[in-house]
Amino acid sequence: MKINKKIGNVASIIHASIIFIFLYLPIIVVVAFSFNKSKINIVFTGFTFEWYGKILKNTRLIDALENTVIVAIVSTLLAVIIGTLAAVGMNKYRFKGKKVVDALLYIPVVIPEIIFGIALLALFSTAKLKLGLGSLIVAHTTFCIPFVVFTVRARLVGIDPHIEEAAMDLGAKRIRTFFEVLLPSIMPGVVSGALLSMTISMDDVIISFFTTGPQSTTLPIQIYSMVKSGISPDVNALSTIILIVTIVVVILSQSRMLRNIKKK
Amino acid sequence: MKGRLNKKVPLYTTIFPVTFWLILLVAIPLIYVLVLSFLTRLPNGRVDFVFTMANYKKLINPDYFHIYGISLFVSAVTTAICIVLSYPFAWFIAQGSERKKTLMMLLVIIPFWTNSLIRLYGWKTILGNEGVLNKVLLTLHLINEPIQMLYSLPAVILGMVYTLLPFMILPIYASVEKLDKTLLEAANDLGAKSIQSFLQISLPLTSPGIFAGSIMVFIPTLGYFFVSDLLGGGNTMMVGNLIKNQFYTAQNWPLGAALSIVLIIMTLLLVRIYTLMGGKLDDLGVAK
Amino acid sequence: MIKMKKILMIVALSMVLISTGCNKSKESAGELNFFNWTEYLPQSVLDAFEEEYNIKVNYSMYSSNEEMLAKINSGEKGMYDLIVPSDYMVDTMRRAGELEKLDMSKITNFGNIDPQFTKMYFDPNNEYSVPFMISDALLCYNSEKIPGGITTFGEIFDPKYKNQIVVLDDQRMVMAVAAITLGMSVNETDPVKLEAIKNKLFSLKDNIKVFDSDSPKSQMISGETTIGYVWCAEAALAMQENPKILPVYPKEGLPLLFDNFAIPAGAKNKENAMLFINFVLRPEISKMVSEEYPYVNPNKAAYPVLPDSYKNNPASNPPAGALENGQLLRNLEENAQLYDDIWTEFKNR
């Protein structure tokens, strides 16, 4: 019995290791070849930092990064405002058409992104709307709203509905109640909804592909065309930079968090 | 009267923005796609507002059946592989200490903070004829000539599994975490064999995670045209590529719209099956 | 989970800092929305133009004429200021009133173009387009893997090349191979002949490993494929990386594309677009283009300064007569759907 369990343990450790290798192998390869002298990702011919220099001088990439951040921040803000209000209202009131709003919220989440992309493209182009930062922000806001609503709603479920009434009985105005009583208690939900929106927006390829214009290329779209045009190692260098930034930040914040857990 | 109106103000301020936004940017675009699918394409690629069934008639064609068939096949295989990989893995993680759990989940998520396209590009480097994997196998004399891996259906499936794996791991992990371990212990105490207690207790209790994960893997796979673009070498056409081509190369928007409508119907059927099996729609959003 | 999100926020914030830190404070005098083929113009030319005129270039790329037209038609009018359509696409767009007339007095370097490449059928008076590069699609093969070599399009249909070929992901260009092999026109619309072309084309499918319009050279260089049906410059670049790769001008003839600068109707920065066209026509700028993307350069004034790597490479600098039996694509009008249907079926086999 015990031996059986041991075998099982070893097997699951092996299984987990395989999964981690699977997850990290392509990343390791990308990083390794970013230091390769040869332009071709086949043979390692020597060590160089050349591609990093090339990336830092590439104004197009920096522009794309800027666009990505602008779109992510603005659409997250919009989505958070609209989504939080919606979650509060839908939690509190019954109204005609609530089911319709609910269904509309799920649609962007469940249907394949490409359909949403072409639907927005068709609308924008028929409405003669300019494709650019504006159209990107509108599109991103739309697919971010549901995520904000869901996370805030999940948080609202655990909140005593009487708090608000109590506050209002004590004479607080409705708006003040919202900002001083309700909002603080759902804040964790709002924050995680916002962060979720931001990540989804920053990594979106498909919907941006259909709704972007010439002045508003985002980083994922820029990378898509770089990756398509093949073998240039500056793609590797760029992703290594992104990866390092992420990992450093993770380590910095995580070491504190892990220590906290240990204390408990 | 004034009192009633006043009472409705908060309802309007909270619900109106979202309703307005969703109608304008979700309902109208999708209805427009539906309308578009019944319109006529002019020879110059523009759309004429004349009703026709031609686009749907065109869909009844072995080529399109084949493309939908391949897409469903790729989605099904991708989902199955993701389940097989994720399920034991989620259990393994869930058994660790708090600290270990956080660390492991973090290790799962970190790769997904790097751009997905870049990671697929990494696979291209690995799978090529003179790629890393073939080089290693050749050096070890395990093979005599390179295996053709890149630009094939298996390569596309690998890319899909790779891109979507966390969407399976996360919900399964969440459901395993929620599982009341005392139930298993009780079953064991009552003499149940481990396989028995797994099949009768663990599996049914964690199945919501599997179902939610399956939906979150299956549906996106149908539309991820960039995976088949990069790893399929243009050989594997999936619904996503077909729709994109109608909008971008063939300039046949009505046909592209009709293809999209079929895809929407397929998606809704899948989601319906999911909810009939007791799945919750909210589970699909939050884990993302 | 929520803690993880916190990390995300920090990542996002640091991204903001990075991007604002990199923000160039220089205000530009104007904009140019330039839509060009992938792998067709080096970054250095765009930088030089931005530097000299202080005009910001928004550069985006496409992989086929059809894709370009689709984007132009789907956006609002005037989304792009400058495009690079091929001959038949110039013809289509000019007839549809989708191109702006150029002010030739502003394009003073037009005289640099070899006169044999001006006044072509698609723009008889050169009012709408200015030649940029000429691109033929030829064959290339890896002589290490195929010592016997190949000389015709017909040979690549041989089943022994199963899964060994990279072709352009472009329906007109690939269907042209089947048509040329059968001795037919690349613009065939007769249903009987199209059926024959279709059957011929289908027999090629098993030999094709990958469709790639953006950078087929990488498939040749990385050894993924041994035969390539690629743009001439892609072959030239592949040869620079691996001298064992050799070009072939197929005996049956080959499809030719004349790529031109043109300004879409309603362009908002027409003046800047013409400035750019004139800029690229300068010999020293034209040289910069040819150094990186060695297509056949119609700029006669630039020829003396072109590098030896261009002049001595038979793929970029075609031997006399090599392009003589080249065929030009024509606009198919309402028959385009026939080609598209064959293409879908072909891709799908």
Side-chain angles (χ1 to χ4, degrees):
Chain A
M1 194 63 194
K2 251 193 174 164
I3 295 170
N4 245 342
K5 212 171 178 185
K6 241 186 185 163
I7 294 175
N9 269 341
V10 173
S12 53
I13 289 175
I14 292 174
H15 179 84
S17 323
I18 291 175
I19 294 218
F20 280 125
I21 292 174
F22 178 64
L23 290 179
Y24 282 88
L25 191 62
I27 298 181
I28 294 168
V29 170
V30 167
V31 173
F33 279 103
S34 74
F35 300 108
N36 189 6
K37 247 195 188 130
S38 159
K39 250 172 111 174
I40 316 157
N41 277 353
I42 305 173
V43 198
F44 207 88
T45 52
F47 190 87
T48 179
F49 275 118
E50 187 191 337
W51 313 115
Y52 287 87
K54 223 178 139 190
I55 280 292
L56 293 174
K57 270 187 247 144
N58 192 334
T59 51
R60 248 145 276 281
L61 272 178
I62 293 163
D63 282 352
L65 180 64
E66 238 179 81
N67 288 335
T68 311
V69 172
I70 293 172
V71 171
I73 290 179
V74 178
S75 48
T76 299
L77 270 177
L78 282 171
V80 162
I81 296 169
I82 298 171
T84 309
L85 285 174
V88 170
M90 291 178 76
N91 189 52
K92 208 159 142 193
Y93 305 104
R94 283 165 186 234
F95 54 94
K96 259 189 213 161
K98 188 173 178 176
K99 277 203 171 141
V100 179
V101 176
D102 222 20
L104 285 176
L105 275 174
Y106 288 114
I107 286 178
V109 180
V110 291
I111 61 167
E113 286 162 84
I114 182 165
I115 290 182
F116 199 49
I118 57 127
L120 286 175
L121 170 70
L123 178 82
F124 291 159
S125 110
T126 311
K128 304 260 181 281
L129 237 128
K130 186 179 149 84
L131 292 180
L133 279 181
S135 62
L136 270 180
I137 288 171
V138 166
H140 283 215
T141 307
T142 312
F143 68 71
C144 287
I145 288 175
F147 293 102
V148 177
V149 175
F150 297 157
T151 44
V152 175
R153 203 153 63 179
R155 182 80 198 173
L156 276 166
V157 172
I159 286 173
D160 188 351
H162 302 296
I163 306 182
E164 234 185 314
E165 282 163 32
M168 292 201 15
D169 286 346
L170 291 173
K173 284 259 165 59
R174 194 173 270 127
I175 292 180
R176 245 187 94 189
T177 320
F178 178 80
F179 280 106
E180 291 180 12
V181 180
L182 192 59
L183 197 57
S185 58
I186 56 171
M187 207 52 195
V190 176
V191 170
S192 63
L195 294 171
L196 198 55
S197 302
M198 202 164 249
T199 8
I200 299 173
S201 164
M202 291 212 283
D203 200 36
D204 175 70
V205 184
I206 297 183
I207 291 168
S208 307
F209 179 85
F210 289 100
T211 51
T212 189
Q215 296 102 324
S216 59
T217 306
T218 61
L219 202 54
I221 297 294
Q222 182 74 25
I223 291 173
Y224 187 48
S225 61
M226 283 170 87
V227 166
K228 273 211 306 188
S229 28
I231 47 178
S232 137
D234 39 2
V235 180
N236 299 43
L238 172 71
S239 40
T240 308
I241 295 176
I242 296 177
L243 193 73
I244 289 174
V245 171
T246 330
I247 289 178
V248 166
V249 175
V250 168
I251 289 174
L252 283 180
S253 56
Q254 216 52 26
S255 60
R256 226 185 76 217
M257 183 176 143
L258 284 174
R259 244 182 284 132
N260 286 347
I261 291 174
K262 213 177 174 184
K263 267 183 221 154
K264 281 177 203 164
Chain B
M1 191 62 202
K2 205 185 160 203
R4 255 191 84 188
L5 193 70
N6 199 14
K7 221 175 179 178
K8 286 217 163 165
V9 168
L11 173 65
Y12 290 144
T13 45
T14 52
I15 299 302
F16 179 74
V18 76
T19 315
F20 175 76
W21 193 282
L22 292 177
I23 288 178
L24 192 66
L25 289 149
V26 177
I28 291 180
L30 290 177
I31 292 169
Y32 184 55
V33 170
L34 184 67
V35 173
L36 202 54
S37 71
F38 290 104
L39 298 182
T40 316
R41 174 194 191 262
L42 293 173
N44 65 6
R46 292 184 191 277
V47 177
D48 196 9
F49 279 80
V50 174
F51 176 87
T52 176
M53 282 300 289
N55 304 307
Y56 286 97
K57 278 194 196 125
K58 215 168 172 229
L59 293 188
I60 308 170
N61 166 333
D63 289 330
Y64 293 138
F65 288 157
H66 187 239
I67 293 176
Y68 278 101
I70 292 260
S71 306
L72 289 172
F73 173 75
V74 170
S75 288
V77 175
T78 302
T79 311
I81 295 176
C82 281
I83 294 175
V84 172
L85 289 179
S86 309
Y87 197 76
F89 184 66
W91 272 94
F92 175 71
I93 296 181
Q95 257 137 36
S97 64
E98 264 323 294
R99 191 185 149 88
K100 222 170 158 185
K101 270 191 228 173
T102 324
L103 195 70
M104 296 272 236
M105 284 318 279
L106 208 67
L107 281 176
V108 170
I109 294 170
I110 285 178
F112 297 89
W113 283 336
T114 1
N115 186 286
S116 45
L117 295 163
I118 288 174
R119 283 176 289 122
L120 288 174
Y121 177 69
W123 277 114
K124 250 178 127 166
T125 319
I126 295 169
L127 296 177
N129 273 356
E130 293 180 22
V132 177
L133 192 55
N134 267 322
K135 279 267 162 66
V136 171
L137 293 176
L138 281 170
T139 325
L140 295 176
H141 293 289
L142 289 171
I143 50 171
N144 292 323
E145 54 182 275
I147 311 173
Q148 306 255 345
M149 288 178 278
L150 204 52
Y151 308 131
S152 60
L153 198 59
V156 174
I157 293 174
L158 177 111
M160 294 287 185
V161 170
Y162 185 78
T163 317
L164 291 159
L165 191 62
F167 295 108
M168 186 65 87
I169 295 179
L170 290 176
I172 293 185
Y173 172 73
S175 68
V176 173
E177 266 276 279
K178 262 189 240 155
L179 189 73
D180 188 355
K181 303 262 171 7
T182 52
L183 267 181
L184 291 181
E185 279 159 25
N188 275 331
D189 291 346
L190 292 173
K193 290 232 172 75
S194 42
I195 292 182
Q196 215 176 353
S197 74
F198 174 75
L199 287 178
Q200 292 182 350
I201 302 172
S202 314
L203 191 59
L205 285 176
T206 50
S207 58
I210 301 180
F211 293 148
S214 302
I215 290 285
M216 284 194 291
V217 170
F218 197 99
I219 294 176
T221 305
L222 293 172
Y224 271 17
F225 63 81
F226 61 86
V227 178
S228 40
D229 264 3
L230 292 178
L231 296 176
N235 280 306
T236 315
M237 229 204 214
M238 297 196 27
V239 191
N241 304 81
L242 186 61
I243 293 175
K244 182 190 138 205
N245 283 355
Q246 295 312 317
F247 276 82
Y248 273 137
T249 7
Q251 270 209 80
N252 193 342
W253 287 28
L255 182 61
L259 289 162
S260 306
I261 294 294
V262 175
L263 186 53
I264 293 176
I265 292 170
M266 275 168 37
T267 317
L268 293 182
L269 277 176
L270 284 167
V271 174
R272 185 78 196 122
I273 295 172
Y274 169 72
T275 50
L276 282 178
M277 285 165 85
K280 290 198 198 77
L281 286 175
D282 274 18
D283 289 348
L284 302 179
V286 178
K288 220 174 189 175
Chain C
M1 260 331 255
I2 284 171
K3 290 254 163 84
M4 276 176 204
K5 311 262 167 59
K6 242 180 208 160
I7 304 160
L8 282 183
M9 177 155 78
I10 302 170
V11 173
L13 285 177
S14 42
M15 293 287 230
V16 178
L17 289 178
I18 293 170
S19 77
T20 45
C22 296
N23 205 345
K24 311 147 297 303
S25 49
K26 211 166 102 184
E27 268 308 309
S28 51
E31 272 193 320
L32 175 67
N33 297 310
F34 186 12
F35 201 27
N36 192 3
W37 292 77
T38 49
E39 303 280 287
Y40 216 9
L41 195 85
Q43 178 71 40
S44 53
V45 170
L46 299 175
D47 291 343
F49 179 75
E50 286 184 334
E51 182 72 22
E52 183 167 336
Y53 291 98
N54 197 21
I55 290 169
K56 184 168 160 26
V57 183
N58 298 310
Y59 191 61
S60 30
M61 292 172 282
Y62 54 89
S63 311
S64 71
N65 280 299
E66 289 71 22
E67 186 188 337
M68 179 269 294
L69 184 63
K71 264 262 174 176
I72 297 263
N73 285 342
S74 69
E76 102 283 16
K77 233 178 173 3
M79 181 156 74
Y80 297 102
D81 303 315
L82 184 59
I83 52 175
V84 186
S86 304
D87 37 44
Y88 72 99
M89 195 49 78
V90 173
D91 193 39
T92 310
M93 294 182 78
R94 181 178 60 96
R95 286 161 190 267
E98 289 180 302
L99 295 181
E100 287 278 336
K101 222 173 183 174
L102 303 174
D103 179 356
M104 291 316 264
S105 69
K106 298 260 169 65
I107 303 175
T108 49
N109 293 333
F110 188 78
N112 291 350
I113 301 283
D114 189 337
Q116 64 163 315
F117 299 120
T118 61
K119 304 199 162 127
M120 313 261 303
Y121 87 90
F122 51 85
D123 187 12
N125 303 317
N126 276 104
E127 290 170 310
Y128 295 91
S129 66
V130 171
F132 172 49
M133 289 287 161
I134 299 156
S135 175
D136 50 288
L138 42 66
L139 289 174
C140 60
Y141 67 97
N142 188 326
S143 60
E144 207 172 352
K145 308 265 169 66
I146 307 175
I150 45 175
T151 51
T152 62
F153 272 135
E155 285 169 74
I156 68 168
F157 289 84
D158 192 328
K160 75 179 176 196
Y161 298 126
K162 187 167 186 285
N163 221 5
Q164 287 191 29
I165 305 179
V166 52
V167 299
L168 299 167
D169 194 3
D170 188 313
Q171 45 172 287
R172 294 296 307 272
M173 296 306 282
V174 176
M175 287 177 70
V177 173
I180 291 175
T181 311
L182 293 174
M184 294 174 183
S185 154
V186 296
N187 303 305
E188 197 54 69
T189 51
D190 175 68
V192 180
K193 286 185 174 168
L194 259 183
E195 188 63 28
I197 291 175
K198 175 177 155 182
N199 289 331
K200 185 74 189 168
L201 181 71
F202 282 9
S203 69
L204 186 62
K205 183 66 198 270
D206 280 345
N207 288 359
I208 297 175
K209 178 157 194 196
V210 47
F211 294 85
D212 188 347
S213 286
D214 300 305
S215 181
K217 62 177 174 296
S218 21
Q219 313 297 349
M220 291 302 293
I221 299 167
S222 66
E224 210 57 52
T225 54
T226 54
I227 298 176
Y229 169 60
V230 302
W231 303 120
C232 57
E234 291 281 319
L237 291 170
M239 292 164 69
Q240 283 174 18
E241 294 286 346
N242 179 359
K244 296 263 165 55
I245 296 171
L246 300 175
V248 181
Y249 286 91
K251 285 200 176 120
E252 303 101 324
L254 75 180
L256 267 181
L257 285 180
F258 290 80
D259 290 338
N260 311 273
F261 287 118
I263 301 179
K268 296 196 179 87
N269 304 294
K270 194 178 165 185
E271 295 301 316
N272 295 348
M274 288 189 294
L275 265 181
F276 188 86
I277 296 173
N278 206 34
F279 179 75
V280 174
L281 288 179
R282 291 183 197 167
E284 70 277 12
I285 303 295
S286 192
K287 174 186 164 219
M288 285 165 79
V289 179
S290 284
E291 271 171 348
E292 199 148 341
Y293 300 111
Y295 284 91
V296 181
N297 193 334
N299 194 323
K300 209 175 171 185
Y303 193 79
V305 296
L306 287 182
D308 286 344
S309 66
Y310 171 90
K311 288 181 189 160
N312 298 336
N313 192 318
S316 46
N317 191 14
L323 301 182
E324 241 158 41
N325 50 358
Q327 286 200 46
L328 288 183
L329 302 180
R330 295 287 169 128
N331 178 19
L332 293 169
E333 311 278 349
E334 68 279 2
N335 290 312
Q337 191 65 39
L338 292 175
Y339 274 62
D340 192 56
D341 290 345
I342 294 178
W343 183 249
T344 308
E345 202 180 330
F346 170 65
K347 273 280 194 108
N348 203 3
R349 280 175 78 85

